[in-house]
Amino acid sequence: MKVNIKTPNKTYDITIKKLPRLTLNAKTAVITNPTVAGYHLNYLLNHLKTDELKIITLPDGEEYKNFGSIEYALERLFDAKYDRNSVIIAFGGGVIGDMSGFAASIFLRGIKFIQIPTTLLAMVDSSVGGKTGINNKFGKNLIGSFYQPEAVYIDTHFLTTLPKREFAAGMAEVIKMAVMFDKEFFKNLENDKLSIEEIIKRSVEIKADVVNKDEKEKVIRSVLNYGHTFGHVIENLTNYKTYLHGEAVAIGMVMANELSIELGYLTAEENERIKKLLKKYDLPTSFKIKDEEEFYEHFFADKKTMNNKIKFIIPELIGKYKIIENIDKETVLNVLRKFK
Ligand code: NAD
């Protein structure tokens, strides 16, 4: 299965099948972490033929998604005298993918890179679309670039070792795309009609379509933030310790649904269907808000909150999104009070 992605500067394929033999006539660096390398590096190397090969292993964890890791990776490339024609392979989840893409975008002002995602989240979301970046003390993903890979290879073989909770966090992003864009896809997820490859393909198609229309997140790409406006606040309030990102997004979707109900769009039954699908993957759907004013204030710490205006992405119904920009504080507080 193949999905083509077209941005103003680059067109490339996302291939969903067993990893083919890749022959690269270039010095190549695989950037990965010890967890992924431990399980799957041999498998990758068995499919790879390159001029020269370097494995750059960065520590595992979101807390290492920073300049220190980028500097370390770039220095290894300079040590080995890599050049403009060299290639980086991102081999891991979203953290490795975002960092490898960023490193590729700034090494000698940009070299080629290939994504081989190993988590479901990276397969359906972060490896598609060319957003790269790192965190700093001011927040997540505040430093980075839009930089598209040469190709993305998705092989579901890697999912065999992925912990169940990580798999579910990826499913939260899948469900997000179905609710926003495709009611048939949502129904098929409800009825277990699709193989994991088909689920990934449809998600990638949706994301690719959004990116094709709006690479730099002017309007439509922001629809992918459904659940994220609330989710980011939850991650913040819990110091990024209690929930995986996808789990916070799952709760955030339910909050966005409540806002939609409050505004007279989504029905309570549709909200229940979405919750049921989230619960099928053991994703959380509730959260206790201690102080709704404090929760509300946190919306303004988000980099996506522009000119002090909060933009909410809500489902008008399952399969159709709505962007809400001018909403009074009291309406939002009313929704937040439902989670007390
Ligand atoms: P992750 O990369 O931290 O991976 C989660 C955990 O699973 C890690 O411990 C990892 O080592 C392990 N792992 C990876 N593959 C495995 C496998 N096959 N078997 C067993 N363990 C495996 O997290 P993630 O959820 O993949 O990605 C989250 C990151 O993605 C965040 O930093 C987020 O900002 C970013 N993101 C980026 C975009 C984008 O558009 N660029 C979109 C969404 C998320």
Side-chain angles (χ1 to χ4, degrees):
M1 292 190 240
K2 252 185 198 169
V3 179
N4 188 255
I5 187 155
K6 277 196 194 77
T7 67
N9 299 321
K10 188 167 263 172
T11 298
Y12 58 94
D13 282 332
I14 298 161
T15 307
I16 307 156
K17 65 167 196 195
K18 256 186 107 48
L19 193 63
R21 269 194 85 77
L22 300 175
T23 304
L24 303 171
N25 298 318
K27 292 181 175 180
T28 303
V30 172
I31 300 186
T32 187
N33 73 28
T35 314
V36 176
Y39 287 123
H40 301 297
L41 188 59
N42 281 340
Y43 180 91
L44 175 66
L45 298 185
N46 284 336
H47 291 79
L48 202 56
K49 194 163 170 293
T50 62
D51 279 359
E52 199 180 310
L53 185 67
K54 212 169 165 46
I55 312 295
I56 299 175
T57 310
L58 302 176
D60 186 2
E62 182 77 37
E63 66 271 35
Y64 299 105
K65 191 178 165 186
N66 57 28
F67 261 128
S69 297
I70 295 295
E71 194 163 27
Y72 175 83
L74 295 179
E75 283 179 358
R76 298 292 73 71
L77 297 175
F78 286 115
D79 276 345
K81 304 210 166 17
Y82 275 40
D83 55 33
R84 284 243 160 85
N85 299 317
S86 303
V87 177
I88 287 178
I89 296 180
F91 187 49
V95 169
I96 286 293
D98 281 11
M99 284 201 287
S100 309
F102 184 49
S105 76
I106 58 174
F107 181 71
L108 301 175
R109 299 210 172 81
I111 59 169
K112 292 179 174 171
F113 93 111
I114 291 171
Q115 289 266 19
I116 304 187
T118 61
T119 63
L120 181 60
L121 182 132
M123 291 175 186
V124 298
D125 193 353
S126 65
S127 71
V128 184
K131 277 201 207 173
T132 82
I134 54 171
N135 310 325
N136 72 356
K137 68 175 179 190
F138 294 95
K140 281 187 63 173
N141 300 323
L142 295 181
I143 298 163
S145 55
F146 285 96
Y147 197 66
Q148 303 291 343
E150 297 303 302
V152 183
Y153 294 99
I154 297 178
D155 181 343
T156 55
H157 161 79
F158 299 122
L159 298 178
T160 52
T161 56
L162 191 68
K164 195 167 164 265
R165 219 181 136 195
E166 295 288 350
F167 183 87
M171 279 309 297
E173 304 286 355
V174 169
I175 294 168
K176 169 194 83 178
M177 290 192 254
V179 176
M180 289 290 96
F181 296 105
D182 188 344
K183 68 172 191 295
E184 280 309 309
F185 184 32
F186 186 90
K187 266 193 221 152
N188 287 337
L189 290 170
E190 279 180 315
N191 301 330
D192 291 317
K193 283 233 170 95
L194 304 171
S195 69
I196 187 64
E197 283 81 8
E198 287 167 327
I199 290 175
I200 293 169
K201 175 164 183 271
R202 187 64 200 123
S203 305
V204 168
E205 276 171 355
I206 292 174
K207 179 136 188 205
D209 192 44
V210 169
V211 174
N212 291 349
K213 289 187 180 125
D214 179 18
E215 183 189 12
K216 300 220 165 136
E217 197 162 321
K218 299 284 185 291
V219 183
I220 303 180
R221 192 161 180 173
S222 73
V223 173
L224 299 173
N225 292 328
Y226 166 48
H228 288 60
T229 312
F230 292 97
H232 285 152
V233 176
I234 293 169
E235 286 182 293
N236 242 304
L237 287 173
T238 53
N239 295 318
Y240 294 88
K241 290 204 165 69
T242 315
Y243 300 106
L244 296 176
H245 174 67
E247 293 172 337
V249 168
I251 302 170
M253 286 193 259
V254 177
M255 290 183 170
N257 293 353
E258 287 291 350
L259 177 59
S260 183
I261 293 171
E262 180 84 12
L263 295 173
Y265 298 113
L266 198 72
T267 63
E269 296 78 56
E270 282 177 304
N271 184 28
E272 282 312 311
R273 277 175 69 194
I274 297 169
K275 277 164 81 171
K276 194 168 164 212
L277 189 54
L278 293 168
K279 282 182 184 156
K280 190 154 101 180
Y281 295 96
D282 286 333
L283 285 161
T285 56
S286 62
F287 179 77
K288 241 189 155 28
I289 297 178
K290 288 197 197 88
D291 179 344
E292 65 272 19
E293 287 279 351
E294 180 200 22
F295 195 105
Y296 187 84
E297 285 313 312
H298 270 78
F299 285 130
F300 298 97
D302 196 318
K303 71 170 182 283
K304 291 183 177 121
T305 307
M306 281 198 251
N307 308 328
N308 263 357
K309 271 197 196 143
I310 323 166
K311 181 156 139 183
F312 289 102
I313 312 295
I314 60 169
E316 189 175 323
L317 35 92
I318 290 176
K320 186 157 187 245
Y321 66 83
K322 192 155 188 76
I323 302 174
I324 304 283
E325 262 167 311
N326 289 315
I327 187 163
D328 63 290
K329 180 174 171 184
E330 207 40 45
T331 309
V332 180
L333 289 180
N334 273 340
V335 171
L336 296 177
R337 282 186 198 110
K338 293 186 179 160
F339 292 84
K340 285 202 86 154

